[in-house]
Amino acid sequence: MQVLIIGCGASGAAAAIAAAEAGHSVTVLDKNRKPLKKLGVTGNGRGNLMNLGEPVFFGDRSFAHEVLSLMPPASVKEFLTGLGLSLTSDGEGRVYPSSYMASVAVDAFLSRMKELKVDILQNMEVTSIQPKNGVFCVKATESLYAPSARKKSGKEKKGELLSKREVQFTAERVILAAGGKAAPAHGTDGSAYALAEALGHSLITPRPALCPLLTEAKPIQGLDGIRVKAGLRLASKSGETLHQSSGEALFTAEGVSGIAAMQLARFAHEGCTLFINLTESLTGHPKTPLSQWIAQRIQQRGNSPLSRFLQGTAVPALQNAVLLQAGLSGFDSYASALSPDQRQQLANAIESFRLTVTGVKGFEAAQVTAGGICAGEISPETMESKRIPGLRFTGEILNVDGDCGGHNLLFAFASGLLAGKTLA
């Protein structure tokens, strides 16, 4: 059977291997100059390939869980080791190549596809998919480039665009694995949504996920580059908790980044509030009773000016930010003079450092897309469209997004493997 896969990312490559191993003739069309471009930078280049812990998904989460019940993490791990990859995992379930290099995983995928004679065609941007009489006619625009050259520094200089031409393919099965809108520099610019919509599929509005939060500037002035261990809570204007996370947060000139903050991005909207619990960063333990801690500190440093009361707990910029939030930045007396109300204000500033959210960084800084093609229109057993027989969807193009830590790649591999294995 002739199979055409649109997109050579994680899910497309997994689908290609599974389909070729099942005996199908597989051609992959990819718009990038190099395949698996996004996989090559995953996990900050360390290659966080999947997660063996409790799966955490949003959007059409029940669909994601059903896919993983049919293609569980153990099976995905077996597939990866079957490519020749040596794997290791940390204490939180994250799985990496033992080399901690994403490029090693890319090489393993490409090597296996070459063995299976999967035909990968680069610089192919698909413009339409038309089903007719049991086959698909797929039109694409191919970009033709001059050969790349090596600079004296050893770096590659990509050849310039020479021309474009229209090409056409036919196939009995098509797998749409072209990704979402996150990280457009790696080729996932959302253009594939139009292909699905033209075939009658519904699109849940895409928005950035796993990206930095943008906040008001004054309370974080001077904090750019400071990392903290913190608990984060995102609340609506009415005070309702939208989502919570904990871990590392990184203050930037524009807001808050780091894994803990990025996991809140899909729930964020302008006007909501971010509360940062700085207790662990300042006291050394996340559950320290702050009223008691402040009282003990006053016994020790009561004769110090309040401006130096927090010395030794954090860098000066964070000390000043906490005092400013507590309304005590201009307090020029000794710490022992703090009233009970002022002590409570200080405790509140540490436990619930408050920032108004103005937005999120955007798709260019996002690791994954929230939203996408409605998974209710897809059969989880085969990833086949319920509307167009023979058409399958995999990976990030669907309305499924997961937590940081390998969940998104886990779903990409699992959905790709199901699509490729069930083509017959």
Side-chain angles (χ1 to χ4, degrees), residues 136-420:
F136 292 87
C137 174
V138 175
K139 295 180 180 179
T141 301
E142 181 182 15
S143 297
L144 304 173
Y145 294 91
S148 298
R150 289 285 175 185
K151 298 180 180 180
K152 290 183 179 179
S153 63
K155 292 184 178 180
E156 184 182 60
K157 181 182 179 181
K158 294 179 179 178
E160 63 180 11
L161 178 64
L162 299 176
S163 63
K164 293 186 176 184
R165 66 179 182 181
E166 301 303 312
V167 291
Q168 186 169 303
F169 304 87
T170 57
E172 296 165 88
R173 300 286 186 271
V174 168
I175 299 175
L176 193 48
K181 290 189 72 172
H186 299 302
T188 46
D189 59 3
S191 57
Y193 294 136
L195 299 174
E197 287 186 289
L199 293 168
H201 279 278
S202 307
L203 178 66
I204 309 300
T205 303
R207 57 193 188 281
L210 295 184
C211 65
L213 303 175
L214 302 178
T215 71
E216 57 181 321
K218 187 176 180 180
I220 59 171
Q221 191 171 359
L223 298 184
D224 188 13
I226 294 175
R227 297 178 185 272
V228 294
K229 282 189 175 181
L232 276 65
R233 182 173 74 91
L234 197 66
S236 66
K237 290 181 179 180
S238 63
E240 177 189 2
T241 296
L242 300 173
H243 201 63
Q244 299 182 92
S245 65
S246 61
E248 183 182 271
L250 169 67
F251 289 103
T252 71
E254 301 172 298
V256 188
S257 186
I259 292 175
M262 292 170 70
Q263 292 189 155
L264 302 179
R266 80 173 317 280
F267 306 95
H269 58 265
E270 184 178 356
C272 64
T273 304
L274 175 66
F275 294 97
I276 306 176
N277 188 336
L278 297 168
T279 303
E280 182 174 6
S281 284
L282 269 65
T283 72
H285 195 281
K287 295 185 179 180
T288 299
L290 287 176
S291 58
Q292 180 181 332
W293 180 79
I294 291 171
Q296 290 174 343
R297 202 163 177 84
I298 287 175
Q299 286 182 344
Q300 297 169 350
R301 303 178 60 85
N303 293 327
S304 299
L306 185 60
S307 60
R308 296 206 299 268
F309 179 65
L310 295 175
Q311 269 187 341
T313 65
V315 295
L318 187 56
Q319 297 175 40
N320 295 337
V322 169
L323 293 175
L324 179 65
Q325 179 109 161
L328 301 172
S329 60
F331 195 83
D332 58 2
S333 185
Y334 293 112
S336 58
L338 287 174
S339 68
D341 285 346
Q342 289 171 324
R343 295 185 187 193
Q344 187 58 52
Q345 288 170 216
L346 180 57
N348 291 343
I350 295 172
E351 193 171 39
S352 297
F353 190 88
R354 179 187 180 115
L355 294 170
T356 299
V357 175
T358 59
V360 298
K361 187 72 172 179
F363 285 112
E364 74 282 356
Q367 293 184 12
V368 71
T369 308
I373 300 303
C374 177
E377 299 166 0
I378 314 297
S379 298
E381 298 85 0
T382 60
M383 307 305 298
E384 187 174 25
S385 166
K386 295 177 181 178
R387 302 191 174 196
I388 308 292
L391 176 67
R392 285 163 164 75
F393 292 83
T394 64
E396 195 179 333
I397 195 171
L398 293 167
N399 179 36
V400 171
D401 60 293
D403 247 353
C404 196
H407 296 283
N408 290 290
L409 274 176
L410 171 62
F411 176 75
F413 292 138
S415 59
L417 290 173
L418 278 176

